[in-house]
């Protein structure tokens, strides 16, 4: 019975997380990623979503504050599921955004 309740809670967290990402509410998405990871820290997709949420959580000129966390999230996702069909795209989005910020000196 407890396992079913935990599964239902996890499912609800994922639905809220997805809705927050669609709404571009990255702070909420980040928080729901953390809640979902408390239940299933071996879910690579959640780590990918946490990396994206972290990437967009701060204004681009403050992206350097998030680099370590973005990298750690992507590393966790890769170690859990190196064959993820979305990991390469998430990593490319992160690297392109970081490159843009550094190339055009958007952040200090």
């Amino acid at each position: 019975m407890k396992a079913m309740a935990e599964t239902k809670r996890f499912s609800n967290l994922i639905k809220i997380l997805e809705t927050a990402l669609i709404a571009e509410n990255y702070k909420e998405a980040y928080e729901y990623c953390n809640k979902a990871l408390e239940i299933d820290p071996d879910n690579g997709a959640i780590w990918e979503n946490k990396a994206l949420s972290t990437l967009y959580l701060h204004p681009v000129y403050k992206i350097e504050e998030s680099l370590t966390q973005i990298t750690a999230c992507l590393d966790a996702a890769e170690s859990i599921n190196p064959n993820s069909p979305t990991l390469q795209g998430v990593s490319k989005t992160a690297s392109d955004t970081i490159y843009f910020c550094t190339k055009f000196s958007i952040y200090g």
Side-chain angles (χ1 to χ4, degrees), residues 13 16-37 46 49-54 57:
L13 292 172
I16 297 168
L17 165 60
E18 290 171 347
T19 301
L21 286 171
I22 290 167
E24 297 180 5
N25 185 339
Y26 300 111
K27 181 178 180 193
E28 184 174 301
Y30 178 86
E31 292 168 0
Y32 278 95
C33 284
N34 285 335
K35 290 177 182 184
L37 286 168
I46 298 171
N49 283 308
K50 184 173 179 177
L52 285 175
S53 299
T54 302
L57 189 59

Side-chain angles (χ1 to χ4, degrees), residues 54-78:
T54 302
L55 180 66
Y56 296 122
L57 189 59
H58 301 290
V60 292
Y61 63 87
K62 290 188 173 187
I63 200 163
E64 77 276 10
E65 297 173 10
S66 305
L67 292 177
T68 302
Q69 186 171 10
I70 292 166
T71 302
C73 290
L74 292 173
D75 286 347
E78 183 179 29

